[in-house]
Amino acid sequence: MVIKRPADIKAREITDKKLVLSRRTFLRGAAVAGSVVATAGLYNGLLAPPRKVRPSEPLPRELVAHTPAAAPTPGDVKNKYEEITNYNNFYELSTDKYEVAEVAAKFVTRPWTVAVFGLCQRPRVFDVGDLFRRFPLEERVYRLRCVEGWSMVIPWNGFPLRKLLDEVQPLASAKFVSLKTLFDPARMPNQRDEVLPWPYVEGLRLDEAMHPLTILAGGLYGETLPPQNGAPLRLVVPWKYGFKSGKSIVAIELTDSQPRTTWNLYSPDEYGFYSNVNPDVPHPRWSQATERRIGELGKRPTRLFNGYGAEVAHLYAGMDLKKHF
Amino acid sequence: MKPDTLAFVKKLLLCNAAVPAVLIGADAARGNLGANPVEFILRATGTMALLFLALTLTITPARQLLGAPWLTKLRRMLGLLSFAYACVHVSIYLSLDQSFDVVAIAGDAVTRPFVTFGMLAFGFMVPLAWTSTNAAIRRLGKRWTQIHARVYLVAVFAVVHFWLEVKADTTKPAIFASVFALLLFYRFVRRGIPKTAGG
């Protein structure tokens, strides 16, 4: 029986060495290029450099108060719109400050009502649009100091909280105000995570709430407040750390006892009820002596009451600010 | 593995390791790092240092489990890449973040645990990078292994540093903590098993 054996490989079938080398070079080049592209994709996906988002709507002219805009304090340059709207602490949307704007883009803020109730003569529910028509939005250029050690200068459009509280006529027994943020995990996706005890509640003493610097803001740079900054209505208390200024407020309650506020409940040693900006009271894990103004590279010294001492220091006369931090 | 192939794998690794640094640099040059570029660079380089540290520590278990002894030849490069990102991280902290304010830095190091742990992590990394040369390995002999076991201390300090820095969302530090815990656990379990050719 004859077994057919395959013929030996003919000389002409042996691949030329040059070709082998060039094929290997090609494969290696492809491996480098492919993996570098994949790594770049991974970097963009995981470490995600911040993205810019579209600007919001101008405020209707009839809502804006015809008061001359306050002259900014020397040394304070207003932060850019892009900075204010792309670097946000809003844990209901994301714990990543760079990511909040993206998640917020889909957040619908109308219809929206704010219930004002508790120890007052005339508790009632306000439609947010009615509120803006009732109380014209004044421009207030405030410094904002975050407890994390950065700050901004922000031109808000808002009205004093006092005007709203006067409307419901607080009782003499009312000593505190608590402000509650919307709780709706379908619209605020990070509320499905128990990163903080939801809903977000912040609070002020009544005299702090009635102070003329304390405002409810509905606009920014003369435009409708974008969701990442707390639309449609947020508190702004410029002499306290930023987290005291609750966003997307749905309920305001007048009480006779100190409200149990979110960050204070989460970590009482780190976040006091008052949380007035104070360079001499460090956060247990970091110093509060200096801050980075967004847009600047170096750091500048932090000022007591965020520089609003002349206006607000009397509220705390005789109090030990290290104890009541 | 052929020396030629190994040299290529090393180059491939180096190219990919440079990608985040290049992208951060490009974004910085275009002013594209967002509102707080210093914070962003610190986060990104710190994360990269931790990532390469985790990869460095994964080499030995991977080699043993996959039976791929050549992986060891990548370990030094991975460790040095972690050190390189840590160096950028520390340099940015000292310069752009603290403006070389020695008093403030010393104060931070003593009173802020998160800074203390960061400095400990970096401080323990320096001698490891210093003794990473072939000459040092020959000179130190058995002691080299002992010295380089401290890499686990670096991992612990670095994770604590990261953990203490975040305000409430500890997801990312927790991921690194579990990876390091797993790697450390593997080391303890492995110790009881007689060494094989690959071990």
Side-chain angles (χ1 to χ4, degrees):
Chain A
M1 189 177 177
V2 179
I3 298 170
K4 272 196 168 181
R5 298 182 56 161
D8 281 2
I9 300 165
K10 290 167 192 143
R12 63 181 162 85
E13 285 178 345
I14 298 172
T15 317
D16 185 8
K17 196 178 175 191
K18 270 188 197 157
L19 272 177
V20 174
L21 279 179
S22 75
R23 190 175 65 183
R24 189 161 71 182
T25 311
F26 172 76
L27 286 175
R28 286 184 171 184
V32 171
S35 65
V36 162
V37 169
T39 305
L42 216 58
Y43 167 83
N44 281 325
L46 293 177
L47 286 171
R51 272 151 270 192
K52 297 198 162 55
V53 289
R54 62 177 171 78
S56 83
E57 302 284 306
L59 282 169
R61 200 180 276 176
E62 67 272 18
L63 299 187
V64 180
H66 294 285
T67 46
T73 321
D76 284 341
V77 178
K78 282 187 255 180
N79 277 94
K80 291 189 209 111
Y81 184 85
E82 287 70 29
E83 291 167 335
I84 300 168
T85 56
N86 283 287
Y87 190 71
N88 311 95
N89 271 319
F90 200 165
Y91 275 28
E92 284 84 343
L93 301 178
S94 167
T95 54
D96 181 347
K97 290 190 281 295
Y98 295 105
E99 203 178 74
V100 169
E102 210 184 322
V103 182
K106 284 170 277 174
F107 187 69
V108 180
T109 57
R110 295 293 192 286
W112 193 283
T113 55
V114 183
V116 189
F117 60 101
L119 302 173
C120 59
Q121 296 277 1
R122 300 168 58 196
R124 48 178 293 205
V125 177
F126 294 89
D127 176 77
V128 80
D130 291 344
L131 273 184
F132 292 155
R133 275 184 286 278
R134 191 184 296 248
F135 309 120
L137 299 174
E138 308 161 25
E139 182 180 80
R140 299 286 186 98
V141 183
Y142 283 162
R143 291 179 289 276
L144 177 136
R145 169 62 156 82
C146 178
V147 73
E148 294 168 352
W150 54 268
S151 62
M152 289 194 191
V153 178
I154 304 179
W156 301 108
N157 302 91
F159 59 86
L161 174 60
R162 173 178 202 133
K163 286 191 181 176
L164 177 59
L165 294 177
D166 283 345
E167 199 79 6
V168 298
Q169 299 171 12
L171 300 175
S173 53
K175 297 283 180 280
F176 294 91
V177 179
S178 89
L179 298 99
K180 199 191 287 178
T181 298
L182 173 73
F183 178 74
D184 184 356
R187 292 157 77 193
M188 295 186 145
N190 221 30
Q191 285 178 334
R192 289 184 209 119
D193 274 346
E194 284 174 24
V195 58
L196 285 176
W198 310 117
Y200 195 93
V201 174
E202 258 314 330
L204 299 169
R205 233 168 45 192
L206 188 60
D207 57 343
E208 296 175 322
M210 298 297 262
H211 192 279
L213 284 180
T214 304
I215 60 165
L216 287 172
L220 173 69
Y221 261 112
E223 297 187 4
T224 304
L225 193 66
Q228 61 265 40
N229 295 87
L233 193 70
R234 66 164 295 166
L235 181 69
V236 183
V237 195
W239 70 92
K240 293 176 180 283
Y241 291 118
F243 71 88
K244 288 296 292 180
S245 297
K247 301 187 176 82
S248 305
I249 303 287
V250 291
I252 299 175
E253 185 180 2
L254 289 142
T255 62
D256 54 3
S257 59
Q258 184 174 302
R260 291 162 64 79
T261 55
T262 300
W263 279 101
N264 184 242
L265 280 174
Y266 175 78
S267 182
D269 302 337
E270 295 182 325
Y271 310 102
F273 173 77
Y274 285 96
S275 283
N276 292 317
V277 175
N278 190 340
D280 300 324
V281 178
H283 185 284
R285 291 181 284 148
W286 56 81
S287 162
Q288 295 291 24
T290 58
E291 65 199 55
R292 170 169 298 114
R293 179 65 55 83
I294 295 304
E296 295 176 359
L297 278 183
K299 292 198 172 178
R300 44 167 82 202
T302 288
R303 296 155 73 193
L304 182 61
F305 299 120
N306 203 19
Y308 297 99
E311 291 92 339
V312 302
H314 69 272
L315 296 173
Y316 312 100
M319 276 174 68
D320 180 355
L321 296 175
K322 292 206 159 117
K323 193 170 161 236
H324 300 281
F325 61 89
Chain B
M1 183 176 278
K2 280 189 249 165
D4 172 52
T5 314
L6 183 68
F8 169 70
V9 171
K10 281 188 176 177
K11 272 182 206 150
L12 189 69
L13 183 61
L14 208 56
C15 285
N16 281 282
V19 168
V22 171
L23 290 179
I24 293 169
D27 276 336
R30 288 180 295 162
N32 227 355
L33 288 179
N36 198 343
V38 176
E39 180 195 61
F40 184 83
I41 298 176
L42 284 174
R43 285 272 168 87
T45 51
T47 307
M48 294 310 296
L50 268 169
L51 177 70
F52 279 107
L53 187 61
L55 289 174
T56 311
L57 295 177
T58 312
I59 287 289
T60 299
R63 174 192 74 191
Q64 291 165 348
L65 297 173
L66 303 173
W70 59 271
L71 277 173
T72 311
K73 304 218 158 114
L74 302 178
R75 194 170 57 182
R76 167 164 53 193
M77 180 179 270
L78 286 167
L80 286 173
L81 282 166
S82 173
F83 182 65
Y85 274 107
C87 283
V88 178
H89 182 75
V90 172
S91 312
I92 299 280
Y93 165 73
L94 296 176
S95 60
L96 296 180
D97 197 62
Q98 297 292 322
S99 317
F100 299 111
D101 182 342
V102 180
V103 179
I105 295 166
D108 265 7
V110 179
T111 55
R112 310 287 152 227
F114 103 82
V115 181
T116 316
F117 277 101
M119 288 187 171
L120 277 173
F122 187 71
F124 272 78
M125 263 184 141
V126 174
L128 302 189
W130 186 256
T131 57
S132 66
T133 59
N134 288 335
I137 297 170
R138 272 196 304 275
R139 194 177 66 241
L140 292 166
K142 262 199 166 165
R143 274 193 58 218
W144 189 89
T145 319
Q146 290 164 4
I147 293 170
H148 280 252
R150 286 184 213 153
V151 69
Y152 281 97
L153 270 181
V154 175
V156 171
F157 291 148
V159 165
V160 174
H161 166 63
F162 194 7
W163 199 292
L164 290 177
E165 193 267 342
V166 300
K167 215 161 54 167
D169 185 356
T170 49
T171 315
K172 283 176 190 170
I175 292 171
F176 279 110
S178 12
V179 168
F180 288 133
L182 199 67
L183 291 167
L184 203 57
F185 178 71
Y186 174 87
R187 280 300 176 100
F188 277 119
V189 173
R190 186 83 189 180
R191 229 181 223 180
I193 304 169
K195 282 193 175 176
T196 57

